[in-house]
Short mmCIF file of all heavy atoms in Angstrom, two decimals:
data_model
loop_
_atom_site.label_atom_id
_atom_site.label_comp_id
_atom_site.label_asym_id
_atom_site.label_seq_id
_atom_site.Cartn_x
_atom_site.Cartn_y
_atom_site.Cartn_z
N ARG B 361 42.79 47.57 -44.27
CA ARG B 361 43.36 48.62 -43.42
C ARG B 361 43.41 49.98 -44.11
O ARG B 361 43.80 50.95 -43.51
CB ARG B 361 44.78 48.23 -42.99
CG ARG B 361 44.84 47.06 -42.04
CD ARG B 361 46.24 46.89 -41.52
NE ARG B 361 46.74 48.13 -40.95
CZ ARG B 361 46.57 48.48 -39.68
NH1 ARG B 361 45.93 47.70 -38.88
NH2 ARG B 361 47.04 49.62 -39.24
N MET B 362 43.04 49.99 -45.38
CA MET B 362 43.17 51.25 -46.11
C MET B 362 41.94 52.12 -45.91
O MET B 362 40.81 51.66 -46.04
CB MET B 362 43.33 50.96 -47.60
CG MET B 362 44.50 50.07 -47.91
SD MET B 362 46.05 50.86 -47.55
CE MET B 362 46.50 51.30 -49.20
N LEU B 363 42.17 53.36 -45.63
CA LEU B 363 41.07 54.32 -45.47
C LEU B 363 41.34 55.51 -46.38
O LEU B 363 42.48 55.84 -46.64
CB LEU B 363 41.01 54.82 -44.03
CG LEU B 363 40.63 53.82 -42.96
CD1 LEU B 363 40.80 54.44 -41.59
CD2 LEU B 363 39.20 53.38 -43.15
N ILE B 365 42.05 59.19 -47.45
CA ILE B 365 42.81 60.19 -46.70
C ILE B 365 41.93 61.34 -46.22
O ILE B 365 42.36 62.16 -45.42
CB ILE B 365 44.01 60.71 -47.54
CG1 ILE B 365 45.02 61.38 -46.62
CG2 ILE B 365 43.54 61.63 -48.64
CD1 ILE B 365 46.40 61.43 -47.16
N ALA B 368 42.09 62.16 -42.69
CA ALA B 368 43.13 63.04 -42.16
C ALA B 368 42.91 64.48 -42.61
O ALA B 368 43.29 65.42 -41.93
CB ALA B 368 44.50 62.56 -42.62
N ARG B 371 40.00 67.66 -40.88
CA ARG B 371 40.12 68.65 -39.82
C ARG B 371 40.61 70.00 -40.35
O ARG B 371 40.56 70.99 -39.66
CB ARG B 371 41.05 68.15 -38.74
CG ARG B 371 42.47 67.92 -39.20
CD ARG B 371 43.35 67.64 -38.01
NE ARG B 371 43.75 66.24 -37.99
CZ ARG B 371 44.68 65.79 -37.17
NH1 ARG B 371 45.26 66.58 -36.32
NH2 ARG B 371 45.02 64.52 -37.21
N GLU B 397 43.50 56.21 -50.90
CA GLU B 397 43.51 55.37 -49.72
C GLU B 397 44.89 55.18 -49.14
O GLU B 397 45.90 55.19 -49.86
CB GLU B 397 42.89 54.00 -50.04
CG GLU B 397 41.39 54.11 -50.25
CD GLU B 397 40.71 52.77 -50.24
OE1 GLU B 397 41.33 51.79 -50.67
OE2 GLU B 397 39.55 52.70 -49.79
N LEU B 398 44.90 55.02 -47.84
CA LEU B 398 46.15 54.98 -47.11
C LEU B 398 45.95 54.07 -45.90
O LEU B 398 44.87 54.01 -45.34
CB LEU B 398 46.46 56.42 -46.68
CG LEU B 398 47.67 56.72 -45.84
CD1 LEU B 398 48.91 56.41 -46.65
CD2 LEU B 398 47.68 58.20 -45.48
N ASP B 399 47.03 53.41 -45.50
CA ASP B 399 46.94 52.53 -44.33
C ASP B 399 46.53 53.33 -43.11
O ASP B 399 46.96 54.45 -42.89
CB ASP B 399 48.31 51.89 -44.09
CG ASP B 399 48.27 50.88 -42.99
OD1 ASP B 399 48.36 51.27 -41.81
OD2 ASP B 399 48.17 49.69 -43.30
N LYS B 400 45.68 52.69 -42.27
CA LYS B 400 45.13 53.40 -41.12
C LYS B 400 46.24 53.90 -40.18
O LYS B 400 46.18 55.02 -39.68
CB LYS B 400 44.19 52.47 -40.36
CG LYS B 400 43.50 53.14 -39.21
CD LYS B 400 42.40 52.26 -38.66
CE LYS B 400 41.61 52.97 -37.58
NZ LYS B 400 42.17 52.81 -36.25
N THR B 401 47.22 53.05 -39.93
CA THR B 401 48.29 53.45 -39.01
C THR B 401 49.07 54.63 -39.58
O THR B 401 49.41 55.57 -38.86
CB THR B 401 49.26 52.27 -38.78
OG1 THR B 401 48.48 51.10 -38.68
CG2 THR B 401 50.07 52.48 -37.55
N VAL B 402 49.37 54.55 -40.87
CA VAL B 402 50.11 55.65 -41.49
C VAL B 402 49.28 56.92 -41.36
O VAL B 402 49.79 58.00 -41.03
CB VAL B 402 50.40 55.34 -42.97
CG1 VAL B 402 51.18 56.48 -43.60
CG2 VAL B 402 51.16 54.04 -43.12
N MET B 403 47.98 56.78 -41.61
CA MET B 403 47.09 57.93 -41.54
C MET B 403 47.12 58.58 -40.15
O MET B 403 47.20 59.79 -40.01
CB MET B 403 45.66 57.45 -41.82
CG MET B 403 44.64 58.52 -41.70
SD MET B 403 44.04 58.96 -43.28
CE MET B 403 43.41 57.41 -43.80
N GLU B 404 47.06 57.73 -39.13
CA GLU B 404 47.05 58.27 -37.77
C GLU B 404 48.33 59.03 -37.48
O GLU B 404 48.33 60.04 -36.80
CB GLU B 404 46.89 57.13 -36.75
CG GLU B 404 45.44 56.71 -36.61
CD GLU B 404 45.27 55.36 -35.95
OE1 GLU B 404 46.28 54.74 -35.58
OE2 GLU B 404 44.10 54.93 -35.83
N LYS B 405 49.44 58.49 -38.01
CA LYS B 405 50.72 59.11 -37.66
C LYS B 405 51.02 60.34 -38.52
O LYS B 405 51.85 61.15 -38.15
CB LYS B 405 51.83 58.09 -37.80
CG LYS B 405 51.65 56.97 -36.81
CD LYS B 405 52.93 56.26 -36.51
CE LYS B 405 52.75 55.32 -35.34
NZ LYS B 405 53.37 54.03 -35.55
N ILE B 406 50.36 60.45 -39.66
CA ILE B 406 50.69 61.57 -40.53
C ILE B 406 49.86 62.80 -40.16
O ILE B 406 50.17 63.91 -40.55
CB ILE B 406 50.49 61.17 -42.02
CG1 ILE B 406 51.21 62.15 -42.94
CG2 ILE B 406 49.03 61.08 -42.39
CD1 ILE B 406 52.67 62.19 -42.74
N GLY B 407 48.81 62.57 -39.37
CA GLY B 407 47.90 63.67 -39.01
C GLY B 407 48.62 64.88 -38.43
O GLY B 407 48.51 65.99 -38.96
N ASP B 408 49.38 64.68 -37.36
CA ASP B 408 50.02 65.80 -36.69
C ASP B 408 51.04 66.52 -37.57
O ASP B 408 51.03 67.74 -37.63
CB ASP B 408 50.65 65.35 -35.37
CG ASP B 408 49.57 65.03 -34.35
OD1 ASP B 408 48.43 65.48 -34.56
OD2 ASP B 408 49.86 64.34 -33.36
N PRO B 409 51.92 65.78 -38.24
CA PRO B 409 52.83 66.47 -39.15
C PRO B 409 52.09 67.33 -40.18
O PRO B 409 52.48 68.47 -40.44
CB PRO B 409 53.60 65.34 -39.84
CG PRO B 409 53.57 64.23 -38.87
CD PRO B 409 52.28 64.35 -38.14
N LEU B 410 51.00 66.80 -40.70
CA LEU B 410 50.24 67.57 -41.70
C LEU B 410 49.70 68.86 -41.09
O LEU B 410 49.76 69.93 -41.70
CB LEU B 410 49.09 66.75 -42.27
CG LEU B 410 49.42 65.75 -43.36
CD1 LEU B 410 48.15 65.04 -43.82
CD2 LEU B 410 50.08 66.45 -44.54
N SER B 449 53.81 54.22 -53.50
CA SER B 449 53.69 55.13 -52.36
C SER B 449 52.53 56.09 -52.56
O SER B 449 51.96 56.19 -53.64
CB SER B 449 54.96 55.96 -52.17
OG SER B 449 55.91 55.70 -53.13
N ILE B 450 52.22 56.77 -51.49
CA ILE B 450 51.22 57.82 -51.58
C ILE B 450 51.97 59.15 -51.43
O ILE B 450 52.90 59.26 -50.65
CB ILE B 450 50.15 57.67 -50.49
CG1 ILE B 450 49.12 58.79 -50.63
CG2 ILE B 450 50.74 57.66 -49.10
CD1 ILE B 450 47.89 58.54 -49.83
N ILE B 452 51.63 63.20 -50.74
CA ILE B 452 50.76 64.27 -50.24
C ILE B 452 51.50 65.58 -50.49
O ILE B 452 52.63 65.76 -50.05
CB ILE B 452 50.47 64.12 -48.74
CG1 ILE B 452 49.89 62.74 -48.46
CG2 ILE B 452 49.53 65.21 -48.27
CD1 ILE B 452 49.81 62.41 -46.98
N ASN B 518 59.06 62.26 -37.81
CA ASN B 518 57.84 61.44 -37.88
C ASN B 518 57.68 60.80 -39.24
O ASN B 518 57.31 59.63 -39.35
CB ASN B 518 56.60 62.30 -37.62
CG ASN B 518 56.47 62.67 -36.16
OD1 ASN B 518 57.14 62.08 -35.33
ND2 ASN B 518 55.64 63.63 -35.86
N ILE B 519 57.94 61.58 -40.26
CA ILE B 519 57.76 61.05 -41.60
C ILE B 519 58.81 59.99 -41.90
O ILE B 519 58.52 58.97 -42.52
CB ILE B 519 57.78 62.21 -42.63
CG1 ILE B 519 56.50 63.03 -42.43
CG2 ILE B 519 57.89 61.70 -44.05
CD1 ILE B 519 56.44 64.29 -43.20
N GLU B 521 60.12 58.05 -39.70
CA GLU B 521 59.74 56.86 -38.95
C GLU B 521 58.71 56.03 -39.71
O GLU B 521 58.60 54.83 -39.53
CB GLU B 521 59.17 57.24 -37.58
CG GLU B 521 60.25 57.41 -36.54
CD GLU B 521 59.74 58.11 -35.29
OE1 GLU B 521 58.51 58.24 -35.15
OE2 GLU B 521 60.59 58.52 -34.49
N LEU B 522 57.95 56.70 -40.53
CA LEU B 522 56.95 55.99 -41.32
C LEU B 522 57.57 55.45 -42.60
O LEU B 522 56.87 54.90 -43.44
CB LEU B 522 55.81 56.94 -41.70
CG LEU B 522 54.89 57.38 -40.57
CD1 LEU B 522 53.98 58.48 -41.03
CD2 LEU B 522 54.08 56.18 -40.11
N GLY B 523 58.87 55.64 -42.76
CA GLY B 523 59.53 55.17 -43.97
C GLY B 523 59.27 56.10 -45.14
O GLY B 523 59.35 55.69 -46.29
N GLY B 524 58.94 57.34 -44.86
CA GLY B 524 58.64 58.27 -45.93
C GLY B 524 59.70 59.35 -46.08
O GLY B 524 60.69 59.37 -45.36
N ILE B 540 55.32 65.15 -49.54
CA ILE B 540 55.56 64.04 -48.63
C ILE B 540 55.28 62.75 -49.38
O ILE B 540 54.26 62.63 -50.04
CB ILE B 540 54.62 64.12 -47.41
CG1 ILE B 540 54.85 65.42 -46.67
CG2 ILE B 540 54.83 62.93 -46.50
CD1 ILE B 540 53.80 65.68 -45.61
N ARG B 541 56.20 61.83 -49.28
CA ARG B 541 56.00 60.52 -49.89
C ARG B 541 55.96 59.49 -48.78
O ARG B 541 56.85 59.48 -47.91
CB ARG B 541 57.19 60.20 -50.80
CG ARG B 541 56.90 60.21 -52.25
CD ARG B 541 58.21 60.12 -53.01
NE ARG B 541 58.48 61.40 -53.65
CZ ARG B 541 57.98 61.74 -54.82
NH1 ARG B 541 57.21 60.90 -55.48
NH2 ARG B 541 58.23 62.92 -55.35
N LEU B 542 54.95 58.68 -48.80
CA LEU B 542 54.81 57.69 -47.73
C LEU B 542 54.55 56.32 -48.33
O LEU B 542 53.92 56.22 -49.39
CB LEU B 542 53.62 58.03 -46.84
CG LEU B 542 53.72 59.30 -46.00
CD1 LEU B 542 52.37 59.63 -45.44
CD2 LEU B 542 54.72 59.10 -44.89
N PRO B 543 55.01 55.28 -47.65
CA PRO B 543 54.65 53.93 -48.13
C PRO B 543 53.16 53.72 -47.89
O PRO B 543 52.59 54.30 -46.97
CB PRO B 543 55.47 53.01 -47.23
CG PRO B 543 55.75 53.79 -46.01
CD PRO B 543 55.82 55.23 -46.45
N LEU B 544 52.54 52.92 -48.73
CA LEU B 544 51.10 52.69 -48.58
C LEU B 544 50.77 51.95 -47.30
O LEU B 544 49.72 52.10 -46.73
CB LEU B 544 50.57 51.89 -49.77
CG LEU B 544 50.39 52.68 -51.04
CD1 LEU B 544 49.87 51.78 -52.13
CD2 LEU B 544 49.45 53.83 -50.82
N THR B 545 51.68 51.14 -46.91
CA THR B 545 51.42 50.39 -45.69
C THR B 545 52.71 50.20 -44.92
O THR B 545 53.79 50.26 -45.48
CB THR B 545 50.81 49.01 -45.99
OG1 THR B 545 50.73 48.29 -44.78
CG2 THR B 545 51.61 48.24 -47.01
N LEU B 546 52.56 49.98 -43.63
CA LEU B 546 53.75 49.78 -42.80
C LEU B 546 54.03 48.31 -42.61
O LEU B 546 55.05 47.93 -42.08
CB LEU B 546 53.51 50.40 -41.43
CG LEU B 546 53.35 51.91 -41.43
CD1 LEU B 546 53.13 52.39 -40.02
CD2 LEU B 546 54.58 52.55 -42.02
N ALA B 547 53.08 47.49 -43.01
CA ALA B 547 53.18 46.09 -42.63
C ALA B 547 54.04 45.27 -43.59
O ALA B 547 54.60 44.26 -43.22
CB ALA B 547 51.80 45.47 -42.54
N ILE B 548 54.14 45.74 -44.82
CA ILE B 548 54.81 44.95 -45.84
C ILE B 548 55.74 45.85 -46.62
O ILE B 548 55.44 47.02 -46.81
CB ILE B 548 53.77 44.33 -46.77
CG1 ILE B 548 53.10 43.19 -46.03
CG2 ILE B 548 54.38 43.86 -48.07
CD1 ILE B 548 52.47 42.19 -46.92
#
Side-chain angles (χ1 to χ4, degrees):
Chain B
R361 291 189 54 88
M362 302 294 258
L363 293 173
I365 198 157
R371 63 171 109 169
E397 289 194 327
L398 177 65
D399 185 277
K400 184 169 185 272
T401 320
V402 181
M403 177 108 59
E404 279 164 1
K405 296 203 170 137
I406 197 62
D408 289 342
L410 279 181
S449 2
I450 180 167
I452 305 169
N518 286 346
I519 290 172
E521 274 166 12
L522 289 170
I540 300 170
R541 250 170 251 276
L542 293 167
L544 283 180
T545 173
L546 295 180
I548 285 202

